[in-house]
Amino acid sequence: MSVGLDKKTDSMLDEKPKTLWSEAWKRLKRDSLAMFGGGIIIFIIIVAFFAPVISPYDPTLQFTNGTTAFGMPFSPNSHSKKLVFTRTTTEEEFSILPGIIFKDSTGLSYRTVGVTKVKKGESKIEVQISPTTVKDFTSLSSIDMKADFEEAPMQKEMVEKINAKFSSIKFENDKYFILGTDKQGRDSFSRMIWGARVSLQVGIYSMLFATVIGIIFGLVSGYFGGWVDMVIMRFTDVMMSIPDLLLVMALVSVLPSDEGGKSAQGVGIIVFSIGIVSWTGIARLVRSQVFTVKEMEYIEAAKAAGASSPLILFKHLLPNVVAPVIIISTMGIAGAIMTEASLSFLGFGVKPPTPSWGSMVNEGLEFFKDAPWVPIIPGAIIAISVFAFNLFGDGVRDAIDPKLK
């Protein structure tokens, strides 16, 4: 009997002591919703990090044939179009001007965009075109075309020259756009990928900045108390009385821009502006925690041993208040992403042509009736990202402090 007890005692002694973080991780792994949200966050981080590899095109590149002739964006899963000219005589040089109309046997018409120079010796020439109709043309390819002119007598000579000089004119697919294009003819999929970088940078960095400020103010206010606490808390009350979005807009408008702009800024200015208004909740939380912890015996022992105030603040108090700070900071990232999207939507976000989900929603509003996918897709991405951070934040809260569940 004693031998069994000894073995049981030895096994208990061999077990590693359970820590707050190991137990929290176990509880977090059992929370399927939190892990689902964490998986979405990891996916977004991977996409943002590998944006140069994943993105098929430069997000700022405007394709001249990336919209219809009247500026309508292309729908998801569509191609831009081009004409492939073939000629037998290659001695003559001339230019194919923009605005030349080409028609096919189905009745669809297309207009050349940009100037294409036909050089001596070239037998095969590619010309970019845009459709002059909003009809479905995405499934058409390799159709024989013929130049025409519509109420444009000035183009008649050019049209006759094209039909006479080229033996064949083929209609083919050019660039592929998985999520369509915007009104400038830029690839929406590429802009969505690069926009993830902006949102994550703003969300994570602004909350790190806000967390540092909030911890410092909260530690100092809670530890010293008295007039120090009164001054810091009254300043916090003033900051909390001003709507965050209005204050951020004011800061963005006042702070200098790298390129002299007044209504749009770089990511650094956005991070600073959001961070400087997001620390108040963290400061109040840390202060309340310090009020409880500073009365404990080990803090009194540290004071009796002659420990300095900074040592007590950052070595003894900070480790005991960091858990709730992690919770509120994780959930604050979602709010920072929403704030950045709101700023970009209102025109106070990052400078164009830097892609941002909020600015993509703003630019797509004018097409909401005829091309609703333009604003809806980035809006859905914003909603999914914020939802994922909220799910994960709730899971972290429940894992660290199950009593809050």
Side-chain angles (χ1 to χ4, degrees):
M1 188 75 174
S2 61
V3 174
L5 289 174
D6 289 342
K7 289 182 178 180
K8 186 176 180 180
T9 304
D10 291 341
S11 63
M12 292 176 63
L13 292 174
D14 290 339
E15 289 181 2
K16 293 182 179 180
K18 296 179 180 179
T19 64
L20 168 67
W21 303 111
S22 63
E23 290 298 301
W25 173 241
K26 289 180 181 178
R27 287 191 288 267
L28 183 63
K29 287 192 295 183
R30 291 195 294 267
D31 190 336
S32 56
L33 286 178
M35 297 307 293
F36 175 71
I40 294 176
I41 293 171
I42 292 174
F43 175 76
I44 295 174
I45 291 173
I46 292 174
V47 167
F49 185 80
F50 291 102
V53 178
I54 301 173
S55 174
Y57 307 110
D58 183 342
T60 63
L61 179 61
Q62 299 182 18
F63 294 98
T64 54
N65 60 343
T67 63
T68 68
F70 304 106
M72 181 66 68
F74 287 165
S75 62
N77 190 34
S78 61
H79 291 83
S80 59
K81 302 299 176 181
K82 65 181 179 181
L83 293 177
V84 179
F85 296 83
T86 305
R87 61 176 181 168
T88 55
T89 304
T90 61
E91 297 300 319
E92 187 177 354
E93 289 187 353
F94 62 96
S95 296
I96 300 176
L97 301 177
I100 304 298
I101 302 297
F102 287 81
K103 290 184 177 180
D104 63 17
S105 57
T106 67
L108 296 179
S109 61
Y110 304 85
R111 181 178 296 171
T112 57
V113 290
V115 177
T116 303
K117 293 185 178 180
V118 181
K119 298 180 181 179
K120 185 181 295 186
E122 286 184 332
S123 59
K124 188 176 181 180
I125 299 95
E126 294 184 355
V127 179
Q128 293 181 330
I129 57 173
S130 290
T132 61
T133 176
V134 294
K135 294 181 181 179
D136 181 25
F137 62 91
T138 58
S139 60
L140 302 177
S141 61
S142 298
I143 298 177
D144 290 325
M145 305 288 287
K146 186 176 181 181
D148 198 357
F149 62 93
E150 297 178 349
E151 299 180 3
M154 293 174 59
Q155 296 178 357
K156 184 174 182 179
E157 182 180 351
M158 174 63 67
V159 168
E160 292 174 348
K161 179 180 290 188
I162 290 175
N163 289 328
K165 296 297 181 182
F166 295 103
S167 57
S168 68
I169 304 175
K170 294 291 184 180
F171 175 82
E172 296 183 0
N173 291 330
D174 192 9
K175 301 294 188 296
Y176 175 64
F177 304 111
I178 187 171
L179 292 180
T181 60
D182 63 8
K183 65 179 181 180
Q184 275 87 28
R186 298 172 297 198
D187 178 42
S188 294
F189 181 62
S190 300
R191 293 183 64 77
M192 205 78 67
I193 292 173
W194 284 90
R197 278 194 163 190
V198 173
S199 294
L200 286 179
Q201 285 177 345
V202 171
I204 295 174
Y205 293 155
S206 62
M207 283 314 300
L208 284 176
F209 182 45
T211 300
V212 171
I213 298 176
I215 287 176
I216 293 174
F217 278 151
L219 287 175
V220 172
S221 177
Y223 180 72
F224 290 104
W227 67 269
V228 175
D229 177 50
M230 184 188 69
V231 170
I232 293 177
M233 285 300 102
R234 296 300 75 77
F235 176 63
T236 304
D237 291 339
V238 171
M239 292 290 294
M240 295 182 74
S241 67
I242 306 173
D244 288 353
L245 185 59
L246 291 179
L247 186 54
V248 172
M249 289 169 59
L251 288 172
V252 168
S253 300
V254 170
L255 293 173
S257 170
D258 319 359
E259 300 177 5
K262 292 184 178 180
S263 63
Q265 298 285 355
V267 173
I269 297 298
I270 305 298
V271 167
F272 175 81
S273 301
I274 295 177
I276 208 69
V277 302
S278 304
W279 58 268
T280 52
I282 298 173
R284 281 182 168 274
L285 176 64
V286 172
R287 171 180 175 267
S288 64
Q289 294 290 313
V290 170
F291 274 147
T292 303
V293 176
K294 76 175 184 179
E295 302 298 332
M296 294 184 176
E297 293 181 357
Y298 75 93
I299 299 295
E300 297 296 330
K303 291 179 181 178
S308 63
S309 294
L311 182 64
I312 294 174
L313 286 173
F314 295 102
K315 184 177 180 180
H316 299 293
L317 289 175
L318 180 57
N320 289 279
V321 302
V322 71
V325 170
I326 291 176
I327 296 172
I328 194 172
S329 298
T330 303
M331 300 182 73
I333 293 176
I337 291 175
M338 278 295 295
T339 302
E340 185 278 326
S342 301
L343 287 173
S344 297
F345 178 80
L346 296 171
F348 289 84
V350 293
K351 292 185 291 291
T354 303
S356 167
W357 292 341
S359 61
M360 292 177 69
V361 174
N362 182 25
E363 293 171 357
L365 279 182
E366 61 182 289
F367 301 104
F368 192 81
K369 182 178 179 181
D370 298 316
W373 60 85
V374 179
I376 286 177
I377 292 177
I381 296 298
I382 294 171
I384 291 171
S385 302
V386 171
F387 181 62
F389 274 103
N390 282 331
L391 280 181
F392 187 70
D394 286 341
V396 171
R397 179 197 62 193
D398 298 338
I400 292 178
D401 192 350
K403 291 182 291 185
L404 297 174
K405 195 169 183 178

